Amino acid sequence: VLPTGYGKSACYQLPSLLLPNPVVVVSPLLALLEDQTINLQRRGVPVVRVDGTVRGKARREAMERISKGGPLLVMTTPETLAGEELRPILLETGISLFAVDEAHCASEWGHDFRPDYTRVDQIRKRLDNPTTIALTATATPDVQTDIIHQLGLDQSRVTLFHEGIDRPNLH
């Protein structure tokens, strides 16, 4: 749990440069996925975005790049991950890290925003339970516990980093 501007994106962007297999980021925010992808591409970071708005030739090229494996950041949505197109490719390449951005959406208190987030634990299981990081800017202790439960994480292996949500510059 880190406030906006404290480096949540770096928690998956940096590992994507260092780990041997793709790092998969699932996010409900299409604008964020697009913005991060464009900015990372400008910096030469290997990144691919696959969501419902990526179609035709661009989608085929994205899938081909993912199938090559190696260090790569794959930015996607829960709906895309739940489908049958991307999963076989990721099972073949392997996943070094599975990042759930806006993880509060997985909580029972967040399901009205994006119902597919309630199925992220099923998606993770179908992807062979990769090492997972869940990121959010705000989560009460109850929501934190619920995120762990909803994502099907092993409580004994969870390490929680909570920087707090107080932002002195916000009034």
Side-chain angles (χ1 to χ4, degrees):
V1 181
L2 298 171
T4 301
Y6 274 57
K8 290 183 296 296
S9 298
C11 293
Y12 52 79
Q13 290 174 354
L14 291 174
S16 77
L17 295 169
L18 303 170
L19 295 172
N21 298 319
V23 169
V24 176
V25 179
V26 58
S27 174
L29 305 175
L30 292 174
L32 177 69
L33 292 176
E34 182 178 19
D35 184 57
Q36 283 190 7
T37 300
I38 290 168
N39 287 327
L40 291 169
Q41 286 173 336
R42 286 182 187 146
R43 290 177 171 80
V45 174
V47 60
V48 172
R49 178 173 60 100
V50 183
D51 58 55
T53 67
V54 178
R55 298 185 178 112
K57 181 180 177 188
R59 191 172 188 97
R60 283 189 304 278
E61 289 174 351
M63 294 300 179
E64 288 172 11
R65 174 56 189 97
I66 296 166
S67 69
K68 292 179 183 175
L72 177 66
L73 187 59
V74 179
M75 309 287 285
T76 192
T77 62
E79 295 85 359
T80 300
L81 275 178
E84 293 302 317
E85 183 181 21
L86 183 56
R87 184 173 54 97
I89 297 169
L90 292 172
L91 285 171
E92 182 71 26
T93 65
I95 299 172
S96 286
L97 180 65
F98 186 83
V100 181
D101 203 8
E102 306 296 335
H104 60 278
C105 294
S107 170
E108 69 177 87
W109 293 283
H111 68 82
D112 288 337
F113 170 66
R114 198 64 171 265
D116 286 302
Y117 256 60
T118 62
R119 293 185 276 283
V120 171
D121 72 322
Q122 297 167 17
I123 295 167
R124 284 184 59 256
K125 288 175 185 165
R126 291 173 62 202
L127 292 168
D128 290 338
N129 289 314
T131 299
T132 301
I133 183 172
L135 306 149
T136 186
T138 58
T140 65
D142 287 341
V143 172
Q144 293 168 33
T145 299
D146 196 44
I147 290 169
I148 293 166
H149 172 74
Q150 294 294 334
L151 294 180
L153 303 177
D154 179 352
Q155 178 68 47
S156 69
R157 298 186 61 183
V158 170
T159 302
L160 180 64
F161 296 93
H162 191 292
E163 183 62 32
I165 60 171
D166 182 34
R167 297 284 302 275
N169 61 326
L170 300 178
H171 304 280

